[in-house]
Amino acid sequence: MTRLAQVVFAVLVAATLGAFFVTQRLKSAPRLVQTLSVSKLYSPNFPFRQAGIRIRLKRTDDVSVSLLDANGDVVRHLVRGRHLETGQPLQLLWNGRDDDGRVVPDGPYRIRVGLRREGRSVTLIDEVVVDSTPPRPVVQVEGAREGQGPLIFPLPGNRPVRFRVLNAHPNGAPIFRVYRTDLPRPRMVVRLPAAAGATTGEWRAPSAGPRRPPAGTYAIVAQVRDAAGNLGSSYPFGPRPPKDDPPARPGVTVRYLAGQGPLQPVRAGGVATVFVDARKTPYRWRLHRLGQTRTLAQGLANRPLLRIPVPRGPSGVLLLELHGRSRAARVPIPVTGPTHARVLLVLPLITWQGRNPVDDDGDGLPNTLDRGGPVRLARPFAGRGEPPGFGRHESPLLRLLDRPRVDYDLTTDYALALSGQRALDRYRGVVLAGDTRWLDPSLGLRMRRYVEGGGKLFSLGTDSLRREVRVRDGRLERPTGRSAYDVFGARVDPIERKPVDLLAGDDAIGLFQGGDGAFSGFAASERTRDPGKGARVVSVAQDPAGRRVIVAVRLGKGLVIRTGLPEFEQRLADANVAALTRRAWEILGGR
C-alpha cells in the first residue's frame, strides 16, 4: 500500500468515527422540536379546508418550516426565520400547493424544521399524506350477470333489488340513490337507507299499486366519502371502471309487459313469432290490422314464446295488443303480401332501434346510437311497445295507403341491409317511410346505384340518409355523426325550426298535380341547398326566400323526391299533402 493510500484510508476511518459520535450525541440530545398535531391525511379538493401543522420548540430560536416530497426536494416554504420563544406553539396551515401555487401530486410529504441558532434542521416523524383522488365505488346489482343485460324488475316473489358496492371503503355512511336514466335528463327516484360503512343495499320498490315505479331504465348510484374527504360516485354518474376493475352493473330495467316482434317482414299466410315478457303472469292478446278494429286472432297465454298465424291479405302492419293485469302493450308486425308489387315500402327499423331507450348491457344507461351504441336489434321497444315516432310518421302513411287500399310490398331497412342489389332493382319505386336517420353504408351505396340505374325513391322523413351505422351479427355498431350530404350527394341543411309556408314552383314531372301547390302552417323545414353533382331539380316547392324544401331531383336515369318537412306525415289529412303523396306514388309506378 502506498503512502497516499494509507493517508486516505486513515482520513476515512476518522470521518466515520466522527459521524458515529455525532450521531450518538444527537440521539442522546433532548428533542428540540415537539410535534403537537399534524393533519396526516389531506385533500386539496376543498378550498376552505387546509392541512394543519402545530409544533413548539424546547429552546428559543428562529425557525423555518418547509415541506419535502418523496425525493427530499422542498416543494413549499411555510415560514422563514420566524422568532419562536421556548414552549410557544406555532400553528401553520397548508393548502396542498407548492411555492408556485400549483397543487402538488398525491403522496407523502415530510415536514422539515430549520433552527437558525442551533445551526441545523429537524425532520419530523409525522407526515402529511396528500390524497386528492376520489374513491371509485362500483355498484353491482345481484342477479345481473356480465354480458346478459340488466336485472329486470319486478322479481319473482316480489323480492327487492339487492346490490353491493365494491371499491367503496366508506368513511361514514354512504349515499345510495336510484335514478331514472331514460328521460331527457336523469331524475332521482328515491334515496335508499344506508348505515355507516355499508357496502350492500336494497331497493324495495312496490311491484303493484300507484307507488310502483314506471316502466323504464334505472341505475343505482353509490356515493362514498374517503378518509381524506374526497367524494366519489359510481358509474354512470362517476367514471366507468377500468377494464382491470370489477365491472359496473348498476342497471335495473322496470318492465311489466312487453313484446319483441320480428326483425324482418312476415309473409302473409305464415307465422309471426313474438317474444312476450309478462313477468311470468298470464296475458291476453289480440291481433288486428293498423287502423282497423276487426279482430284477426286473439287468445290467452302465459308463455314467453307466442306464435301467431298471420292471415292472408295485402302488405301492411298488423298490431299485436297485449293486456296483462293492469298493463297494455302493442307490438307492430310488418307483413308483406303474397304477390309482387311495383313499389317497395321500407320501414326504418334501424332508426327505430337506434333511438329506442333500452339498456342492453346493464350499465344503467339506454343503449342508443346517439350515445354511440352499440345497439342490439332484437329487443322490445320501450314504453307501450310502439317504435319511437311510429304514431307521428309511419302510422299515418300506412293508414292513408289503406284508404283506398294501395298495392305495395313491405320490408325493413335491416332486411334490405342483409340482401343484395336485386332486392331493390326488382321494384320500380321505393318509399322510405319516416325518418331513415341511420343506414348501413352498403345499403346506402345500393340505393344510389338503384336510382342512377333508373329507380325512383320517395323519402318522407327528414334528417335522413346522412348517418351511417354498421349492421353486424344482429347489432348496430360504429354510428357516424351527421354529414352535410346524403347518400345521393345532395347537400341538405339542418332542420330549421320556425314557421314556414311553401309554394310550388317549377314542376317538370307534375309532382304537385291534384292540389294548388300551397303548403302552409308548417313549424319546421329542411332545405336542400344543392342537389349534388350531376343532379338536377325538376320539381320544387320553396319558401318566400326561394329556399328549396320539397324537391324532386333527377339523378342519372332515376329520381329522388324529398319532402323536407318534419310534420309531413302528420299533415296527411291536408288536401295538398295527401295529393302530393298520391301523385308521388303514381310517379314511382304504383297504382
Side-chain angles (χ1 to χ4, degrees), residues 5 22 49 74 116 267 372 410 428 456 467 479-480 502 507 515 523 559:
V22 169
R49 187 185 303 172
V74 176
R116 180 180 298 177
R267 179 67 63 177
L410 187 68
R428 294 187 182 181
K456 300 171 184 177
R467 298 172 179 84
T480 67
L502 306 177
D507 190 12
L559 188 72

Side-chain angles (χ1 to χ4, degrees), residues 533-557:
K533 184 178 180 180
R536 179 170 54 92
V537 176
V538 293
S539 293
V540 63
Q542 55 196 15
D543 65 9
R547 295 180 295 185
R548 298 171 293 199
V549 177
I550 303 175
V551 296
V553 177
R554 183 74 65 187
L555 179 63
K557 298 179 181 179

Side-chain angles (χ1 to χ4, degrees), residues 21-302:
F21 285 113
V22 169
T23 302
Q24 294 300 317
R25 178 173 175 268
L26 291 175
K27 286 182 178 180
S28 60
R31 184 186 303 174
L32 298 176
V33 180
Q34 181 182 6
T35 303
L36 299 178
S37 64
V38 171
S39 298
K40 296 184 178 180
L41 194 60
Y42 171 70
S43 172
N45 288 330
F46 305 93
F48 303 107
R49 187 185 303 172
Q50 300 187 67
I53 301 170
R54 193 164 180 263
I55 60 174
R56 65 184 175 192
L57 304 183
K58 293 292 186 180
R59 299 173 185 170
T60 300
D61 210 326
D62 296 327
V63 64
S64 299
V65 180
S66 56
L67 289 152
L68 313 178
D69 62 15
N71 298 321
D73 298 325
V74 176
V75 297
R76 179 69 180 271
H77 293 86
L78 295 179
V79 65
R80 299 174 188 257
R82 178 179 296 183
H83 183 74
L84 200 63
E85 297 290 339
T86 301
Q88 178 185 355
L90 175 63
Q91 176 73 45
L92 300 173
L93 298 175
W94 181 42
N95 61 0
R97 296 178 180 269
D98 61 17
D99 285 333
D100 294 326
R102 297 170 299 192
V103 176
V104 300
D106 287 4
Y109 291 84
R110 292 175 295 167
I111 305 164
R112 186 172 68 186
V113 181
L115 304 172
R116 180 180 298 177
R117 296 182 182 181
E118 291 288 335
R120 59 183 169 135
S121 61
V122 176
T123 301
L124 305 186
I125 297 176
D126 295 304
E127 299 176 327
V128 178
V129 176
V130 174
D131 178 10
S132 62
T133 304
R136 303 182 66 167
V138 175
V139 172
Q140 291 186 339
V141 173
E142 293 185 7
R145 294 176 293 176
E146 188 174 5
Q148 301 296 318
L151 182 74
I152 308 296
F153 178 87
L155 298 172
N158 294 325
R159 297 200 318 267
V161 176
R162 295 186 173 92
F163 60 92
R164 58 177 179 163
V165 184
L166 308 178
N167 294 351
H169 310 298
N171 183 36
I175 300 173
F176 298 149
R177 294 188 179 99
V178 180
Y179 286 84
R180 185 172 178 186
T181 60
D182 58 348
L183 304 174
R185 298 184 65 178
R187 186 181 69 209
M188 191 187 80
V189 175
V190 65
R191 178 169 173 169
L192 306 176
T199 57
T200 61
E202 291 183 347
W203 180 23
R204 291 186 171 275
S207 59
R211 297 182 60 189
R212 64 182 176 181
T217 300
Y218 295 78
I220 297 176
V221 177
Q223 280 188 325
V224 298
R225 193 178 296 276
D226 62 17
N230 299 300
L231 185 65
S233 295
S234 62
Y235 188 81
F237 291 169
R240 184 185 290 274
K243 291 184 178 180
D244 54 350
D245 276 15
R249 294 193 292 271
V252 177
T253 291
V254 177
R255 180 188 297 157
Y256 302 101
L257 182 62
Q260 175 189 312
L263 301 180
Q264 302 192 43
V266 180
R267 179 67 63 177
V271 176
T273 301
V274 178
F275 294 92
V276 179
D277 184 0
R279 302 283 80 201
K280 298 183 179 181
T281 61
Y283 59 90
R284 291 179 292 108
W285 61 271
R286 171 178 171 264
L287 186 70
H288 65 93
R289 189 176 178 90
L290 176 67
Q292 299 181 9
T293 58
R294 185 168 67 92
T295 299
L296 301 177
Q298 60 183 343
L300 179 68
N302 57 8

